[in-house]
Amino acid sequence: MKKLLAILLALVLALATCSAIAEVVDPDTIEDTMTSADGTYELAFVTDVGQLKDKSFNQGTWNGVKAYAAENGLSYKYYQPANGDQATDDDRYDAMKAAVEGGAKVVVCAGFMQEAALTKAATEYPDAKFIFIDGYPIGLDNVAPIAFKEEQSGYFAGYAIVMDGFTKLGFCGGGGGTNPACCRYGYGFAQGAEAAAAELGVEVELKYSWQYGASFSASPELQTMAKGWYETGTEIIFACGGSMFASITAAAAENDGFVVGVDVDQSFESDTVVTSALKGLSNATKWAITKCYDGSFADIGGVPTSLGANDDAVGLPTETWSFESYTVEQYEAAMEAMKAGELVVDDQAPTEGGIADVAFEHVVIDYV
């Protein structure tokens, strides 16, 4: 009996130890800067334009890097290309070079503007693995491009806010109309608004602009434009572009307006946020890094990966739900319809001019 109890106790302790090791770490509690014992850093993150802690794209991706590192006892470091919002391809390459020469076995690069620098760095360092978030194949097997079906997430946001009673909408996008992810978000947003407006038998107005968003940064000019929209009747603006969020929420707060956040749940950052169009940046980053270590990197290296509803990688946050008329149950039914292929969103998002020439029956586009 004593022997049996000893064995059972050992099993309990072993399970407890395994549970502690497997415990998921909240990335917000992980320091952004660490000092490794030997001065090298195994996991690296090269930021997109904008701030590291932008409460959006950069931060969501970085959280995935930090979380994987913390959960697996690895060293990590972030690298911001020189010259901030004016960073060149050479600046981005220099950051990637510094990461690899600083010991990185895996380099996560955020944003489609990394392409030229990434091509050069991955060619020169074939033994390193690179993860290209919001990317596409560039002809190199050591680069894993991870994209998202942002049009699906944008659709859910546009549909939800119109179903909840908003009819005067705005969209402020980052990247100047050339960022594929932002284009998909905006196009999906308009499609969702159109579907809800048709269902309710109402007409929706949508101001749509890429102005002041080329660098994804907050600016007085952007805030002034958003303020003007709110003052002339716009009820809610989709702030689709990293740190642009700060300018738009400031304008909303001044004018009793509302905001749709992007990439991550931004309701914690401003009371003006009604919902956010999400994509699973942190989880997707962790998933891709895992493949660098479990022997399955060949599944994603050099081939396109696009994560959407069927991967639970896009959608709306339900834990902070604040809609009054549109319910979580209605949203979940729409999500299931999308997963089943019954609800299809056009993914051919127009670029270089947005959706000015797209025909909608119930949404009137004011292309600013």
Side-chain angles (χ1 to χ4, degrees):
M1 179 63 70
K2 289 183 179 180
K3 184 176 182 181
L4 178 60
L5 289 174
I7 292 173
L8 290 174
L9 179 59
L11 286 172
V12 170
L13 290 173
L15 288 171
T17 301
C18 290
S19 297
I21 292 172
E23 183 179 356
V24 176
V25 180
D26 179 0
D28 289 330
T29 66
I30 305 170
E31 294 292 335
D32 291 319
T33 302
M34 70 166 296
T35 302
S36 72
D38 62 1
T40 65
Y41 298 88
E42 185 163 338
L43 295 184
F45 173 51
V46 177
T47 69
D48 193 12
V49 293
Q51 302 171 2
L52 174 72
K53 306 307 285 285
D54 60 1
K55 311 297 183 184
S56 185
F57 182 61
N58 275 329
Q59 187 167 344
T61 307
W62 177 228
N63 280 349
V65 176
K66 287 195 302 179
Y68 186 91
E71 291 166 15
N72 293 276
L74 301 178
S75 56
Y76 59 91
K77 185 175 181 177
Y78 70 88
Y79 297 79
Q80 290 186 288
N83 297 312
D85 294 338
Q86 305 303 313
T88 64
D89 290 335
D90 287 340
D91 294 327
R92 297 183 182 96
Y93 165 76
D94 288 342
M96 296 174 199
K97 178 181 179 182
V100 177
E101 295 186 351
K105 296 178 181 178
V106 178
V107 182
V108 177
C109 303
F112 80 113
M113 288 189 289
Q114 306 273 15
E115 179 186 358
L118 185 51
T119 300
K120 182 179 179 181
T123 300
E124 292 185 5
Y125 299 99
D127 293 332
K129 293 181 175 66
F130 294 84
I131 297 171
F132 187 11
I133 298 294
D134 265 8
Y136 33 78
I138 59 175
L140 296 169
D141 291 341
N142 62 330
V143 178
I146 309 296
F148 298 86
K149 299 181 186 298
E150 290 93 353
E151 71 280 356
Q152 296 179 346
S153 195
Y155 177 96
F156 285 126
Y159 183 85
I161 62 174
V162 173
M163 290 298 290
D164 208 53
F166 293 97
T167 58
K168 298 184 184 300
L169 321 180
F171 171 83
C172 286
T178 64
N179 180 289
C182 290
C183 290
R184 290 192 291 266
Y185 268 132
Y187 187 35
F189 184 68
Q191 290 181 71
E194 169 71 17
E199 189 173 328
L200 296 175
V202 300
E203 184 176 278
V204 169
E205 299 174 13
L206 173 58
K207 292 184 182 296
Y208 198 96
S209 180
W210 300 105
Q211 288 193 65
Y212 312 118
S215 66
F216 298 87
S217 299
S219 70
E221 294 81 7
L222 176 61
Q223 184 171 334
T224 297
M225 184 179 78
K227 180 174 182 289
W229 287 13
Y230 286 121
E231 288 177 343
T232 54
T234 298
E235 300 164 321
I236 187 166
I237 297 175
F238 185 5
C240 185
S243 297
M244 295 169 64
F245 174 81
S247 293
I248 295 169
T249 53
E254 290 178 7
N255 295 275
D256 296 322
F258 297 96
V259 174
V260 173
V262 73
D263 290 342
V264 299
D265 185 355
Q266 296 186 306
S267 63
F268 302 100
E269 309 305 323
S270 172
D271 292 338
T272 65
V273 174
V274 172
T275 190
S276 300
L278 306 180
K279 58 184 180 185
L281 290 164
S282 180
N283 287 339
T285 300
K286 287 176 63 178
W287 171 80
I289 296 173
T290 298
K291 288 186 170 293
C292 296
Y293 287 93
D294 69 4
S296 62
F297 183 78
D299 294 343
I300 60 173
V303 299
T305 297
S306 184
L307 305 175
N310 286 319
D311 308 289
D312 295 320
V314 298
L316 304 179
T318 56
E319 293 183 358
T320 54
W321 199 262
S322 62
F323 292 115
E324 296 179 358
S325 301
Y326 186 58
T327 68
V328 172
E329 291 72 23
Q330 288 175 297
Y331 161 68
E332 289 176 342
M335 175 64 78
E336 289 306 311
M338 186 173 288
K339 289 181 177 181
E342 300 164 2
L343 172 57
V344 178
V345 183
D346 183 10
D347 61 358
Q348 300 302 305
T351 57
E352 299 290 357
I355 58 173
D357 299 323
V358 178
F360 292 102
E361 293 185 14
H362 301 274
V363 176
V364 178
I365 306 293
D366 179 9
Y367 190 73
V368 179

